């Protein structure tokens, strides 16, 4: 006869917080609202920054092609589009910073103009 192996005690599973789902992701209303707000604000910002970046890249390539090659380029159009899109994605952060600075300038200019108009009306 073989010696009996000692029985292992059953351990209870650690308690999970109520805010977690079965797969471990948080599922609170606050997190969902924050996510919706983030998407609502950042989606247009990302789209605008990408389009402006793409426009800047296209302008730069167009000026370079006009200077270097007076005739139309021989490269394929799809290859050129991919190259310009990848460069536009790389420029996206700089464009977002530029948009933020432009928005701050417009806000400052509006504030200054409003103060001038109010001062003129009061005087």
């Amino acid at each position: 006869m073989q010696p009996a192996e000692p029985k292992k005690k059953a351990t209870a599973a650690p308690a999970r917080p109520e805010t977690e789902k079965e797969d471990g992701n948080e599922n609170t209303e606050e997190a969902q609202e924050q996510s919706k707000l983030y998407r609502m604000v950042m989606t247009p910002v990302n789209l605008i920054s990408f389009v402006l970046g793409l426009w800047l890249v296209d302008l730069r390539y167009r000026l370079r092609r006009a200077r270097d090659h007076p005739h139309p380029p021989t490269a394929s159009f799809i290859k050129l589009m991919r190259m310009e899109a990848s460069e536009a994605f790389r420029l996206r952060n700089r464009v977002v910073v530029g948009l933020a600075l432009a928005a701050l300038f417009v806000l400052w200019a509006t504030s200054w103009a409003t103060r001038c108009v109010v001062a003129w009306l009061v005087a």
Side-chain angles (χ1 to χ4, degrees):
M1 264 188 160
Q2 293 182 355
E5 292 184 22
K7 292 185 179 180
K8 294 182 180 178
K9 292 184 179 180
T11 57
R16 285 185 269 175
E18 292 179 15
T19 59
E20 292 186 3
K21 290 172 62 175
E22 290 297 320
D23 59 357
N25 293 332
E26 286 190 19
N27 189 21
T28 63
E29 289 182 23
E30 183 180 327
Q32 288 177 349
E33 287 299 319
Q34 183 180 14
S35 177
K36 287 179 185 176
L37 179 65
Y38 178 80
R39 278 185 273 159
M40 197 167 66
V41 170
M42 289 308 295
T43 299
V45 169
N46 285 332
L47 178 67
I48 291 169
S49 67
F50 174 72
V51 169
L52 284 176
L54 191 58
W55 177 75
L56 290 171
V57 169
D58 186 53
L59 181 66
R60 183 172 46 189
Y61 279 123
R62 188 179 304 157
L63 291 173
R64 185 182 301 162
R65 284 190 302 262
R67 184 187 66 218
D68 296 342
H69 306 286
H71 51 80
T74 58
S76 72
F77 183 70
I78 294 175
K79 183 178 179 182
L80 183 63
M81 282 184 4
R82 285 182 183 160
M83 189 171 56
E84 288 179 354
S86 68
E87 192 163 341
F89 275 118
R90 279 186 260 141
L91 282 176
R92 190 176 66 195
N93 291 337
R94 292 179 185 169
V95 172
V96 168
V97 170
L99 284 172
L101 291 175
L104 286 174
F105 175 75
V106 167
L107 184 66
W108 172 81
T110 304
S111 172
W112 179 79
T114 304
R115 277 188 270 134
C116 288
V117 168
V118 168
W120 178 73
L121 288 174
V122 171

